[in-house]
Amino acid sequence: MKYKKHYLYLKFERFWHWTQMLLVMLLTLTGFEIHGSFTLLGFENSVRIHNAAAWSFMGLAVVSIFWMIVTNQYINFIPTRKKLKEQVRYYTSGMFKGMPHPTHKELYNKLNPLQRLTYAGLLFLIFPVQILTGLAYMYFGYPENPVDADGLFIAVLLHTLGAFLVVAFVIVHVYMTTTGNTITSNLKAMISGYEKEVAKQQEKAALAGEGENAEI
């Protein structure tokens, strides 16, 4: 099968992605140890690493938002219903039949409609809740006790729920990286920046084959 290769993921974007992945792994690992799920680094070390990773995550988020605004890359994250049904059909049956992807990745169209909805949930709901409840949890009990203790229980529950949702996202995200042209093509693209895409002539041939099958 012939592919065309184009530069898609910019340097900072790749730095942001892999650094964020490392921070999420640290936050998840230390967060569950703080909750007593297992013992690996020790409670005090886990708290220190968790807090440092949380501040690093927030700092990275601020820099990333600024970068997206000045480079117009924020456009990739704007939710859309265009080709949403086609995308659902592709993930539920089309990709298992070797059909071409319904959306073509471009510099300002890197995410498909389902990915945009998922990231909107992360960026506007889960991450803000994690940050706010994490700060409440982080500063509870300090000398002047600035956080109301009655609200802390809810904050902890929300923070833990958010952590499980982030873990679920990571599991699905890792699985989806294996659904490219090859099992490692999406991973390689996020390392090198270059994305391989099936030539349009072959996509047309695949779509024609689908039409013939439908007629049968």
Side-chain angles (χ1 to χ4, degrees), residues 142-162:
Y142 273 54
E144 297 180 357
N145 192 20
V147 180
D148 183 2
D150 292 336
L152 186 60
F153 179 70
I154 296 176
V156 173
L157 286 181
L158 289 175
H159 200 73
T160 304
L161 175 61

Side-chain angles (χ1 to χ4, degrees), residues 105-117:
K105 291 183 181 179
E106 299 174 355
L107 187 60
Y108 295 103
N109 186 36
K110 299 174 186 176
L111 302 177
N112 66 53
L114 281 177
Q115 288 175 315
R116 292 179 183 229
L117 288 175

Side-chain angles (χ1 to χ4, degrees), residues 24-71:
V24 168
M25 288 180 63
L26 280 175
L27 287 166
T28 303
L29 183 69
T30 54
F32 281 110
E33 181 164 7
I34 291 170
H35 275 269
S37 302
F38 56 86
T39 301
L40 179 63
L41 302 172
F43 180 81
E44 293 185 355
N45 286 332
S46 292
V47 171
R48 280 196 290 268
I49 295 172
H50 195 83
N51 290 348
W55 281 112
S56 299
F57 184 91
M58 289 186 281
L60 180 64
V62 171
V63 175
S64 301
I65 291 171
F66 175 76
W67 177 82
M68 287 181 192
I69 292 174
V70 298
T71 60

